[in-house]
Amino acid sequence: MWGRVTDPADWPRRRLVWECLLAFGLALIGGWGELAGGHGLLRSAGAALAVAVLSLVRRALPMTTLVAVSALSGGTDAAGLLLPLAGWSAGRRIDGVLKALGVFSASLVLFVWLSLWSQDRTAPLWLVLGALFFLVFAVVPGLASRYWTQRRTLLQTLQERNAQLLRERRMVAGQARMRERQRIAQDMHDSLGHQLALIAVQTGALEVDRELTDRQREAVAVLRQASVAAMHELREVVGILKDGTLGEESGAEPPARVVAGIGGLVDSAAAAGMRVTLERAGEARPLAPAVDHAAYRIVQEGLTNAYKHAPGAPIAVAVRFEPDSLVVEVANGPAGPDVPVRSEEAVSGGQGLTGLRERARLVGGIIFAGPVGGGFRLAGLLPYGSGEARATFVDAEDDLREQPTWGTPGEGGPVIDRLDPREEFKDIMSTRKSNGCLVGCGIALLILLGLAALAFLALGKTVDETNKGLLDRSVYDSVKVGEPEQQVRDRLPSGKSFLTADLKDKGPAKPAGASCLSLVSSEGSKGSTDTVFRFCFKDGKLIEKREFDVQN
């Protein structure tokens, strides 16, 4: 218990200052209230000290604090402001509905009993008023705090469940993509791999043909090297599509399709007869894998397009490491007048630039493409970072319930086995805390209804008791001394009321041997005094009626 009070983790500096100021203010107000009530300095100081201590420990010891504050509030005038704070802390920190109900009930009984005992009051009205006071200033804050805490816990549970569903959604989408990628990789390996291998074999056989000239043999060698390189690249792509790694047949060497391999790409183009030059500028910097590969693809696509659409034109390739980004550019001049025009449909699929733009967008870059000076220019502006944070793994418009649901988890199957929101809501509402919230709210509603009914009955009883002790002045003036006792009593209230309970021994001396009836004037109080009408009877007649004032 002492550890919970003195644990430094529960007392950060800002909270410590706030709690000390609050405790000091409550103690000051409580001590002043005791002094104003006519109590001694020693009792006032003790009450102020108790208020300060209870204020500081109300979070660590909620049950003990609530009971102690209830007793202090009932017996003194010092802890009235501390009672709502104790009720709030108790409602928030007491675990279990039955335990909280027992503590609040015990505190209510203790508060009402000490209130009646300290004020020397036994009337039912004061009992009801004390219960209502405790209800408003302790039970209501406790219920509000408990509802707020359990609502916050429920929201946190919903947020955690939502985050879990999002993670599982990404896993399901990733598994669906992996299955599709594996299918595409298998198709590429079975179709393109066979065709490229056949081309490599045929060009290799053609290269050693004795009837070819040296120039023809050199051209065939270039074709064979290109087919072999294409086959290696296909194997790398197939490996990446399957499991995100290099293909098993590609060997241990890293792929050359990065910025460092642009020089080899330019050399291969020059060997094929293209008029191409390479310019490098700036100090090389490390690049993210996606950016590195995108820069290589831009140069590759630019050279391919220049060869298709402007054969024989000079081509300039530039790689510049700028302070904030990498610039890759491929520009070609106009084609010669003797170059035949090629069929666009036969040599181009029309998707190269579209794919480059998408690749650049995914890494946070931009592609520029367009005619310039009679030729064509393709340039890419790529950031040095990965840019992966810009792309979402699962599109917002994807519907989780449309994902495939076959197979087993870990093999392309679903990770979520129940997607019905009603089932998720049942799971949430079936937790212990949620059940506690519902039970607590139900019990609190019953308590409020019971107290409301009790207050209604008490109000009616209070009105009835008040009417038994009040008398209008006109009735007092109409009564004459000497009238029969029964006739006078029939015109007066019974006087059996809490308003007249302490009037028997007040006022002037009663006539000897007479029985008197004291009633309070219905005109109301005059400052600190009440007007009392007294009727004294003897031998069956009214022998005296008097009017006097008493301290209220």
Side-chain angles (χ1 to χ4, degrees), residues 229-362:
M231 189 161 50
H232 282 292
E233 184 174 350
L234 175 62
R235 288 171 179 171
E236 292 175 1
V237 172
V238 168
I240 293 174
L241 284 175
K242 283 184 176 181
D243 53 8
T245 61
L246 295 179
E248 296 178 357
E249 298 92 344
S250 63
E253 296 182 0
R257 289 149 187 86
V258 292
V259 172
I262 291 179
L265 186 62
V266 172
D267 293 340
S268 299
M274 300 175 64
R275 298 162 55 191
V276 58
T277 59
L278 175 61
E279 176 190 356
R280 296 180 182 271
E283 183 179 356
R285 298 177 56 173
L287 301 173
V291 175
D292 213 358
H293 190 63
Y296 179 88
R297 289 301 186 190
I298 292 173
V299 175
Q300 187 182 47
E301 182 68 19
L303 291 175
T304 302
N305 289 341
Y307 177 75
K308 289 179 181 179
H309 305 290
I315 304 173
V317 178
V319 178
R320 297 192 297 272
F321 287 89
E322 302 290 346
D324 56 349
S325 60
L326 173 66
V327 178
V328 181
E329 182 180 359
V330 179
N332 62 271
D338 298 332
V339 176
V341 178
R342 302 185 180 184
S343 174
E344 188 72 17
E345 295 180 357
V347 298
S348 176
Q351 302 297 324
L353 292 180
T354 302
L356 284 182
R357 288 191 176 94
E358 180 63 18
R359 187 187 297 272
R361 184 190 69 83
L362 291 178

Side-chain angles (χ1 to χ4, degrees), residues 156-198:
Q156 291 177 350
T157 303
L158 290 174
Q159 291 172 355
E160 293 174 358
R161 184 63 60 87
N162 181 61
Q164 179 182 356
L165 289 176
L166 290 178
R167 289 193 298 267
E168 294 175 346
R169 174 179 179 172
R170 294 188 182 97
M171 293 173 63
V172 171
Q175 291 172 353
R177 286 194 178 96
M178 182 61 68
R179 287 193 299 271
E180 186 64 19
R181 288 166 61 178
Q182 290 175 350
R183 185 188 65 80
I184 295 173
Q186 188 65 37
D187 291 343
M188 291 176 62
H189 183 273
D190 294 342
S191 59
L192 294 180
H194 174 72
Q195 299 296 334
L196 289 174
L198 183 60

Side-chain angles (χ1 to χ4, degrees), residues 404-485:
T405 56
W406 56 84
T408 58
E411 298 179 358
V415 181
I416 305 173
D417 58 353
R418 182 175 60 250
L419 302 176
D420 191 349
R422 293 171 296 181
E423 296 296 330
E424 295 292 334
F425 184 74
K426 289 179 181 178
D427 287 344
I428 296 173
M429 297 306 295
S430 63
T431 60
R432 181 178 180 181
K433 291 184 178 180
S434 300
N435 283 334
C437 179
L438 293 177
V439 174
C441 291
I443 294 177
L445 181 61
L446 292 177
I447 293 176
L448 290 177
L449 292 177
L451 290 176
L454 182 62
F456 180 78
L457 295 176
L459 181 61
K461 183 66 175 178
T462 301
V463 173
D464 184 62
E465 290 287 325
T466 301
N467 292 333
K468 292 180 181 179
L470 294 178
L471 180 65
D472 189 75
R473 178 171 291 276
S474 60
V475 178
Y476 173 77
D477 295 336
S478 64
V479 175
K480 304 299 181 182
V481 176
E483 291 185 12
E485 177 179 359

Side-chain angles (χ1 to χ4, degrees), residues 89-117:
S89 298
R92 180 180 180 182
R93 289 175 170 80
I94 296 178
D95 296 330
V97 177
L98 295 179
K99 184 184 296 185
L101 181 62
V103 171
F104 274 92
S105 300
S107 301
L108 170 63
V109 173
L110 187 62
F111 173 81
V112 173
W113 179 73
L114 288 176
S115 298
L116 296 178
W117 176 78

Side-chain angles (χ1 to χ4, degrees), residues 213-223 271:
T213 63
D214 293 339
R215 184 176 180 81
Q216 291 173 339
R217 188 174 288 107
E218 183 180 352
V220 171
V222 172
L223 291 177

